[in-house]
Amino acid sequence: MQATGQDPALLPEPATVDYARSFFPVALVVLLLRAFIFEPFRIPSDSMMPTLLDGDFIIVNKYVYGLRWPVFDKKFVNIREPQRGDVVVFRYPLDPSVNYIKRLVGLPGDHVQVMNDRVTINGKRVPFKVVAPYDDGCYLHMQLAVEELGAHIHQAMLCPVGEFHVTADAAPSCNRSNSRGYFCGAITGQDPASAFEGPATDVTVPPGQYLMMGDNRDNSEDGRVWGFVPEDHLVGKATRIWFNWDWHRSGGPLWSRIGAHID
């Protein structure tokens, strides 16, 4: 355009440049929100049933326990301390590249005892009441309970007879194509493999660490097995379910779970 005597400023910008200029502020805001404020996660297991189901997509509040620098994971603003009963996403202590989600049961300095799925903290039994049978077609003969941990009143599930078994094949009534069978009590005519049964626990939580447990008390490999979670491994507090779809479950998304608050 200079060679022809025209003003180069009049040359139209390529569409890709215009799109990039418009997209950059949006991308920057999304990255900042994800790094410091909120981040989505997908629930990959049954360990937090019935509170959270495999296939729930959740929002995690990352700033509630303080702001951290990405990569370095160093806290530079303290907001508040984790509370007993919070549902927390954290980096798995045995492999920090993997994120786990459990319920915070023991705070630093707490003396925690767990026996037959009942929790005692500092000598005081945590309110825990069995309210109904639980049978979703995949988990059979379980029981549903309500537990009060700190300010949180939430549901838990357990095997009341202490004989929790897993079989290679799902029950005929189970609508999950990749599921095994989960049975509470002896199963006649089958040779069930022993599943995880929460052991008796009697520990004192060290300073700067936390004890985490799953709400699915007899099918959760948690702090009763691998120990405590350091404070710098905490990612954030789970707040809401924004979508649900377990690809291995027939029937599509569970629309009723969308928008549900996580207690």
Side-chain angles (χ1 to χ4, degrees):
M1 292 190 70
Q2 287 178 334
T4 59
Q6 301 181 59
D7 185 358
L10 300 177
L11 180 67
E13 289 184 337
T16 53
V17 174
D18 187 49
Y19 289 152
R21 181 182 291 112
S22 302
F23 178 74
F24 178 77
V26 177
L28 180 62
V29 169
V30 170
L31 288 174
L32 289 174
L33 286 173
R34 184 182 176 92
F36 297 108
I37 310 299
F38 295 106
E39 185 170 354
F41 287 89
R42 181 188 181 279
I43 303 302
S45 74
D46 293 342
S47 71
M48 282 296 292
M49 288 179 64
T51 305
L52 297 171
L53 305 181
D54 188 348
D56 281 341
F57 292 79
I58 65 171
I59 292 292
V60 173
N61 184 332
K62 299 185 70 172
Y63 71 83
V64 66
Y65 301 142
L67 298 177
R68 297 178 182 273
W69 294 114
V71 181
F72 303 105
D73 214 25
K74 297 294 184 181
K75 185 184 295 187
F76 63 92
V77 175
N78 189 44
I79 307 296
R80 75 164 176 82
E81 298 301 316
Q83 305 295 308
R84 183 179 291 113
D86 287 355
V87 177
V88 180
V89 171
F90 55 91
R91 291 185 287 118
Y92 180 39
L94 303 185
D95 182 0
S97 66
V98 178
N99 287 317
Y100 266 39
I101 183 167
K102 304 290 180 185
R103 191 174 296 277
L104 196 163
V105 173
L107 298 170
D110 279 347
H111 179 214
V112 181
Q113 298 169 295
V114 184
M115 179 68 72
N116 297 328
D117 299 318
R118 273 67 167 178
V119 179
T120 300
I121 300 176
N122 299 326
K124 184 177 179 180
R125 290 288 295 269
V126 171
F128 186 95
K129 182 180 180 181
V130 174
V131 294
Y134 185 93
D135 186 338
D136 66 356
C138 302
Y139 282 85
L140 305 180
H141 314 306
M142 307 289 287
Q143 285 189 342
L144 185 69
V146 173
E147 183 176 60
E148 184 176 344
L149 270 171
H152 297 268
I153 299 176
H154 69 96
Q155 293 184 327
M157 56 185 278
L158 68 152
C159 174
V161 298
E163 298 179 7
F164 182 67
H165 304 291
V166 178
T167 63
D169 299 319
S173 56
C174 185
N175 65 349
R176 294 167 62 186
S177 61
N178 68 332
S179 180
R180 296 173 294 175
Y182 301 93
F183 300 92
C184 178
I187 307 303
T188 304
Q190 300 190 40
D191 183 23
S194 177
F196 170 78
E197 295 183 11
T201 300
D202 190 338
V203 297
T204 298
V205 184
Q209 302 195 51
Y210 300 90
L211 178 66
M212 307 288 185
M213 289 174 52
D215 290 347
N216 189 347
R217 289 290 162 80
D218 294 310
N219 194 20
S220 172
E221 185 174 332
D222 48 38
R224 292 171 289 178
V225 176
W226 40 253
F228 307 105
V229 177
E231 190 276 337
D232 62 4
H233 280 43
L234 303 184
V235 174
K237 178 185 176 183
T239 57
R240 286 194 179 273
I241 299 168
W242 64 271
F243 193 60
N244 169 281
W245 197 343
D246 179 355
W247 315 111
H248 300 287
R249 183 184 59 228
S250 60
L254 299 177
W255 302 106
S256 62
R257 297 189 63 78
I258 296 176
H261 178 72
I262 299 173
D263 294 316

